[in-house]
Amino acid sequence: MTTTTDLRPTGPAPRGGGGRWHPVCSYDELIPERGVCALIEGVQVAVFRTFAGELYALSNLDPFSGAHVISRGILGTRGGVPTVASPMYKEVFDLRTGVCLDDPQVALPTFPIRRDPATGRVEVALTHANRQ
């Protein structure tokens, strides 16, 4: 697990949320189907890159165990939905929405994520709605 603590806001705030973009790492440093954890403004964010090259960012906090372990989860799909399974109790979460597919009343906060085309850096934004 990689934790990045030296993050400086960059770029304009994401639309509609009031947050700022924070660099996490270069796109090439993300190993497909493996997660990393970034500490952004005191919030642990699990960042994933799929084999198809898609990027996802969710809270690293497993709501069932209370442990910060989602970045160590196993990526997969369920019914065409990209997922991550918690390494603790194996609950499965939709990478796009954060909703638990095993208990839809539970969801992980998700974060805007992008690849900056100019620098190749992966950036995540915290917004007022998704801060823990």
Side-chain angles (χ1 to χ4, degrees):
M1 176 165 74
T2 302
T3 303
T4 303
T5 56
D6 182 24
L7 300 172
R8 293 178 296 279
T10 182
R15 291 183 183 155
R20 304 189 93 181
W21 290 106
H22 299 271
V24 173
C25 62
S26 76
Y27 180 80
D28 293 334
E29 289 176 314
L30 291 176
I31 299 170
E33 304 297 311
R34 284 248 170 114
V36 298
C37 180
L39 184 63
I40 302 173
E41 294 182 19
V43 176
Q44 288 192 32
V45 178
V47 175
F48 299 97
R49 174 182 164 193
T50 66
F51 280 128
E54 297 169 323
L55 296 169
Y56 299 97
L58 304 100
S59 171
N60 196 40
L61 179 64
D62 178 343
F64 293 97
S65 70
H68 288 89
V69 295
I70 297 298
S71 63
R72 293 185 172 259
I74 299 169
L75 295 188
T77 59
R78 186 185 283 179
V81 173
T83 62
V84 61
S86 170
M88 295 301 285
Y89 301 126
K90 310 302 185 250
E91 283 86 5
V92 176
F93 298 90
D94 183 332
L95 285 170
R96 303 166 305 175
T97 65
V99 172
C100 180
L101 300 180
D102 301 315
D103 183 352
Q105 294 188 329
V106 178
L108 298 172
T110 60
F111 304 92
I113 188 167
R114 70 180 183 184
R115 180 179 180 190
D116 184 327
T119 66
R121 305 281 301 169
V122 173
E123 298 176 334
V124 172
L126 297 186
T127 62
H128 299 299
N130 61 17
R131 290 175 195 263
Q132 294 182 9

